[in-house]
Amino acid sequence: GDKEKSVEELKKAFQNKDLDIETKLSILSSYFALVELHPELKEQALDMCRLLIEAHPNESRAHAVYGDFLYQDKKTAEALVEFKTARELGSKEFIVYRQIMYLEAQLQAWDSLLVESEEALTLFPDQPEVYYLKGVACSQKKKYTDAVAAYQTGLKMVVDNKNLEVQFYASLGDTYQELKDFPKS
């Protein structure tokens, strides 16, 4: 029942470099739901993430989890830094690349999004979201023909995801409108 003492002991565990990262990641994953129910735990979760990174600075998963918590806390730019660090440390998980692209879209970093989407396409050519985000970046850069090509390619890959399919068609309509191709729009 001594919450303060329990948090202090938990912090010691997170600072311990010899305690395996799997255990720490498991504990942090339980915080996602807890923070939703008890927002006052948000700062504690962020502290644990920082301690995790101090103990395991070269572990990509530590940075990705910290990025998730920062995103949940609406710290978009800081979350982007952590996801990019996770990638630089060797993460090849699609979810990391997807988060980088979505965060860049939220930050309206269109040049970066275009570069990131091109790189992601070399690794994940079967993921329709990458084509969608490339299309968004191309549209924002007024490269409408490239946007149409990205949207059309990605649309062919959508399976059992009506929301994404709707986004593709709406974006294609907007892009054809910009190209003054009103019948296709």
Side-chain angles (χ1 to χ4, degrees):
D2 189 345
K3 289 181 183 176
E4 286 181 32
K5 182 80 172 149
S6 119
V7 170
E8 289 307 312
E9 293 300 318
L10 190 58
K11 284 181 178 181
K12 286 179 188 175
F14 270 70
Q15 290 170 321
N16 184 344
K17 292 177 168 91
D18 296 326
L19 180 62
D20 69 291
I21 191 167
E22 299 301 329
T23 301
K24 296 172 186 177
L25 290 171
S26 177
I27 291 168
L28 274 174
S29 69
S30 69
Y31 269 89
F32 280 112
L34 286 173
V35 169
E36 292 289 321
L37 297 170
H38 304 284
E40 67 275 8
L41 293 176
K42 175 176 55 177
E43 205 51 50
Q44 183 179 323
L46 290 168
D47 285 344
M48 295 302 166
C49 287
R50 287 187 279 272
L51 293 172
L52 180 67
I53 287 175
E54 285 175 23
H56 306 278
N58 297 318
E59 176 59 60
S60 64
R61 293 174 298 168
H63 290 275
V65 167
Y66 189 29
D68 284 333
F69 277 102
L70 289 167
Y71 178 72
Q72 187 181 38
D73 197 28
K74 298 182 181 11
K75 294 180 178 173
T76 308
E78 292 174 52
L80 179 59
V81 168
E82 292 304 321
F83 282 110
K84 283 187 172 186
T85 301
R87 184 190 57 202
E88 289 163 16
L89 289 172
S91 177
K92 296 288 185 217
E93 294 180 44
F94 175 65
I95 193 165
V96 169
Y97 282 80
R98 183 178 63 195
Q99 280 298 94
I100 289 169
M101 290 182 293
Y102 275 114
L103 291 168
E104 286 179 335
Q106 287 180 7
L107 293 168
Q108 299 180 1
W110 308 123
D111 290 326
S112 296
L113 178 56
L114 195 53
V115 169
E116 294 292 346
S117 62
E118 288 290 340
E119 181 182 334
L121 281 174
T122 64
L123 298 168
F124 311 102
D126 59 339
Q127 293 291 336
E129 288 173 283
V130 179
Y131 293 93
Y132 176 74
L133 290 163
K134 179 182 178 183
V136 169
C138 288
S139 288
Q140 293 298 321
K141 298 294 295 170
K142 300 192 183 324
K143 297 179 178 184
Y144 299 118
T145 305
D146 293 342
V148 167
Y151 290 141
Q152 287 177 335
T153 303
L155 183 59
K156 293 174 191 167
M157 296 179 186
V158 177
V159 179
D160 295 330
N161 188 337
K162 287 291 180 197
N163 289 337
L164 184 57
E165 190 175 6
V166 166
Q167 287 178 305
F168 270 108
Y169 280 118
S171 296
L172 269 169
D174 290 342
T175 307
Y176 282 129
Q177 187 77 15
E178 292 294 333
L179 288 169
K180 310 276 189 255
D181 190 340
F182 301 118
K184 285 184 180 175
S185 175

